[in-house]
Amino acid sequence: MLTLYDYLDSGNGYKCRLLLALLGIAYTRVELDIDRGETRTPDFLQKNPNGRIPTLQLDDGTCLAESNAILCWLADGTDYWPAERLPRAQVLQWLFFEQYSHEPYVATPRYILRHLGRDHPRMAEMPDRLKRGHAALAVMDTHLQKHDFFAAGRYTIADIALYAYTHRADEADLDLAPYPALRTWLARIASQPGHVKMLPED
């Protein structure tokens, strides 16, 4: 059985949990508290030398790191990962956008506020991060004004990757009111069959 090393409050971990649920794949989940350094133990560093979650341990013991790589592996051979050359490249385009232009400016502000607090020195980063976060959200909204999903004309791992932290943007002090197409897309994703929420209290 697959083992997912995870942290419930992580959007990157949630991406994997959501796809596993959509695919109906059974797995064992191991919770590691990143704030307590539980991903920096010698045992875990043997699984992922980068000391991060999520990490997926395969049946043969191989460990796969990086959330979007895990999404690609899990989705291979399913409708969530297109077989056609151009749609597949378009999914990758949005996966790269999520990691480079979105995650540092949506997920990181959320982490600062939820885990470090408003009196932490890293609050000095917030104005620039939020400016860039709004820029990423605007790019997404522009695309979604003409498309129901991000690639291939259907729900794919591109949507899963971008949904994870976007639907928690309010926790990063990012107001989604200016982005109506984006808000409609969030509701569309949440209504997909098999959808699961990120946190138990949601």
Side-chain angles (χ1 to χ4, degrees), residues 122-184:
R122 289 196 66 184
M123 283 296 293
E125 304 172 19
M126 291 292 283
D128 182 63
R129 287 191 183 273
L130 294 180
K131 178 182 178 181
R132 292 170 182 261
H134 278 294
L137 296 173
V139 169
M140 295 167 66
D141 191 75
T142 298
H143 178 81
L144 291 166
Q145 290 169 19
K146 297 181 179 180
H147 305 275
D148 287 344
F149 300 99
F150 277 98
R154 65 178 188 268
Y155 186 26
T156 69
I157 56 174
D159 299 283
I160 291 173
L162 285 162
Y163 178 82
Y165 279 113
T166 303
H167 89 291
R168 316 299 294 204
D170 61 312
E171 297 173 344
D173 280 359
L174 287 163
D175 182 8
L176 296 183
Y179 312 111
L182 182 57
R183 288 185 280 110
T184 299

Side-chain angles (χ1 to χ4, degrees), residues 9-12 15 98-99 101-115 122 126 129-130 133 137 161 164-166 168-169 171-172 174 198:
D9 199 52
S10 165
N12 287 323
K15 296 174 192 178
E98 188 266 342
Q99 283 292 286
S101 299
H102 178 279
E103 201 260 6
Y105 310 115
V106 180
T108 300
R110 177 180 180 268
Y111 179 82
I112 291 170
L113 292 174
R114 283 177 65 85
H115 295 262
R122 289 196 66 184
M126 291 292 283
R129 287 191 183 273
L130 294 180
L137 296 173
Y165 279 113
T166 303
R168 316 299 294 204
E171 297 173 344
L174 287 163
M198 180 171 167

Side-chain angles (χ1 to χ4, degrees), residues 45-68:
L45 289 172
Q46 287 186 350
K47 296 177 173 62
N48 180 358
N50 200 26
R52 295 179 180 270
I53 55 87
T55 295
L56 185 69
Q57 185 167 334
L58 311 185
D59 294 340
D60 66 358
T62 301
C63 288
L64 182 62
E66 300 299 330
S67 59
N68 289 349

Side-chain angles (χ1 to χ4, degrees), residues 68-137:
N68 289 349
I70 294 170
L71 291 183
C72 291
W73 187 85
L74 289 170
D76 192 44
T78 77
D79 285 343
Y80 297 103
W81 183 219
E84 305 86 358
R85 187 177 184 181
L86 180 58
R88 183 183 289 242
Q90 290 170 334
V91 168
L92 287 171
Q93 168 189 306
W94 287 107
L95 293 182
F96 297 148
F97 169 87
E98 188 266 342
Q99 283 292 286
Y100 184 77
S101 299
H102 178 279
E103 201 260 6
Y105 310 115
V106 180
T108 300
R110 177 180 180 268
Y111 179 82
I112 291 170
L113 292 174
R114 283 177 65 85
H115 295 262
L116 302 180
R118 293 183 183 273
D119 59 349
H120 194 275
R122 289 196 66 184
M123 283 296 293
E125 304 172 19
M126 291 292 283
D128 182 63
R129 287 191 183 273
L130 294 180
K131 178 182 178 181
R132 292 170 182 261
H134 278 294
L137 296 173

